[in-house]
Amino acid sequence: MAIWFITGCSTGFGHETALAALARGDKVIATARNPNDVNDLADKGALVIALDLSWPEEKIQSAVNVAIEPFGSVDVLFNNAGVNMVGSLEEVSSKEARAVFDVNYWGHISVTRAVLPYMRAQKSGTIGFNGSMLGWMGMGCVSTYTATKWAIAGLAHCLREEVKDWGINVTVIEPGFFRTQVFGERKNLFPEEGMEEYKVSMEPIRNLVTAVNGRQPGDPEKAARVIVEALTGKGAFEGKELPARLVLGADAVGQVEGILGLEKSSLEEWKSVSVSTDFTLAE
C-alpha cells in the first residue's frame, strides 16, 4: 500500500489517478483549489485538502506538511496541477505569463520541496511531474505554456540525479491529447487582450481547440492506470528502471519520434561546424 500526494485532483489526470490509486487500496491525499470539487474522492476514502499552487511557497509547504502529518510520510508525489494559456509571446502579458509559471513550475517546486524531506528520511519515494508532448517541440502561439513544460522536463531530469542516492525516483509524464477538461468552457485559455497582428496566426490554434475538445484520442482512465503502475513500479514497470520521460498517447509517440529524427538529421548536417569551435591540439 502506497501513500500518495496528488495535486490538481478536481478534473483530468489528477482526478483519474486518484481514483485508480484508491481502487488498488492506496492512501491518497487529494488536493484541489476548491475541496468541494472532489467530494467523490473523499467519499472513496481520500484525504482532501485545499491547495492552490499560486499560493506563496510558505503557505503551500505548510498545507503539505499538515496533510502528510496523519500518515507520517508519503511514497508517491504526483505533481499534476496545471493551467493553460494560448497566445503569442507578445499577446500574453507579463502578469498572465508569470501566473502560468507560478502554477506550472514554481508551484511544483514548492510542493516537491515540502515532500522531499519525508522521502529522504525513509530513503525511498517516487516523484512524477505532469509534463506534455509540447515539452519536446515548439508550437506557435502556445509559447508560455510550452515553456513551462520544457522547464518541468529539465527540472525533472536534474532532480532525478540529485535524489537518486536516497532511493528516490523521478519522471516526467508527457501526454498527447487526452479527453480531459483542459479545453473546457470554464478555462481561461486566451490572453485578455489579443493583438490584431496575430489574428491570422491564432486562428488555426482557436480552430484546433474547438475541433479537438471532446474528441481527443487519449483515454484519461487508461492513462491513470499506467501512471499508477509507473509511479508504484507495478505492472509493465515491475523490475524495470522508471524512465526519465514517459510519453503517453499514440499521437505523442508519433510526434516525439518525428522530432528525434529531425534533431538527429540537423545534428549530423551541422556537426562539422559544431566541432570546429574546439581548440586544436596544436593550440
Side-chain angles (χ1 to χ4, degrees), residues 36-159:
N36 291 330
D37 291 340
V38 288
N39 284 333
D40 64 316
L41 298 180
D43 292 340
K44 293 180 183 298
L47 172 61
V48 172
I49 68 163
L51 184 66
D52 187 333
L53 295 195
S54 65
W55 287 348
E57 183 170 61
E58 295 78 9
K59 187 174 180 180
I60 290 175
Q61 293 186 344
S62 176
V64 172
N65 289 331
V66 169
I68 293 175
E69 187 175 358
F71 302 97
S73 192
V74 61
D75 300 305
V76 182
L77 168 61
F78 183 28
N79 284 303
N80 164 76
V83 294
N84 207 336
M85 175 58 68
V86 178
S88 69
L89 179 66
E90 283 192 280
E91 289 178 299
V92 178
S93 69
S94 294
K95 180 180 179 181
E96 290 170 322
R98 289 177 187 278
V100 175
F101 265 89
D102 281 346
V103 174
N104 291 6
Y105 183 73
W106 290 111
H108 294 320
I109 287 178
S110 296
V111 173
T112 303
R113 282 176 171 166
V115 167
L116 274 173
Y118 296 96
M119 291 185 173
R120 285 192 290 102
Q122 67 190 17
K123 291 183 168 50
S124 66
T126 302
I127 300 171
F129 293 90
N130 194 358
S132 169
M133 69 178 177
L134 291 180
W136 288 84
M137 57 191 286
M139 179 181 288
C141 297
V142 200
S143 51
T144 299
Y145 175 79
T146 298
T148 67
K149 296 306 180 180
W150 279 72
I152 280 296
L155 171 69
H157 275 69
C158 295
L159 182 63

Side-chain angles (χ1 to χ4, degrees), residues 149-270:
K149 296 306 180 180
W150 279 72
I152 280 296
L155 171 69
H157 275 69
C158 295
L159 182 63
R160 182 182 174 95
E161 292 301 311
E162 292 172 1
V163 300
K164 63 183 181 182
D165 289 343
W166 284 288
I168 302 171
N169 295 313
V170 181
T171 187
V172 56
I173 296 162
E174 300 176 311
F177 284 118
F178 276 76
R179 208 167 295 178
T180 65
Q181 291 76 37
V182 66
F183 297 141
E185 293 179 1
R186 295 187 299 168
K187 305 292 184 180
N188 296 319
L189 290 175
F190 300 97
E192 290 184 5
E193 297 184 16
M195 293 174 61
E196 185 66 26
E197 291 87 343
Y198 288 97
K199 186 176 181 180
V200 173
S201 301
M202 283 289 291
E203 196 62 29
I205 302 295
R206 290 182 181 273
N207 292 338
L208 176 66
V209 168
T210 302
V212 167
N213 189 32
R215 302 176 184 85
Q216 296 96 322
D219 183 338
E221 290 187 21
K222 290 181 179 179
R225 289 195 290 269
V226 171
I227 291 169
V228 169
E229 287 186 354
L231 300 186
T232 57
K234 302 297 182 183
F237 299 86
E238 189 162 7
K240 297 182 179 180
E241 183 180 4
L242 181 65
R245 306 180 82 145
L246 178 60
V247 178
L248 296 183
D251 57 342
V253 170
Q255 287 284 355
V256 173
E257 286 178 335
I259 290 162
L260 290 175
L262 289 172
E263 292 292 343
K264 188 176 188 327
S265 295
S266 178
L267 186 65
E268 288 297 324
E269 180 181 358
W270 295 101

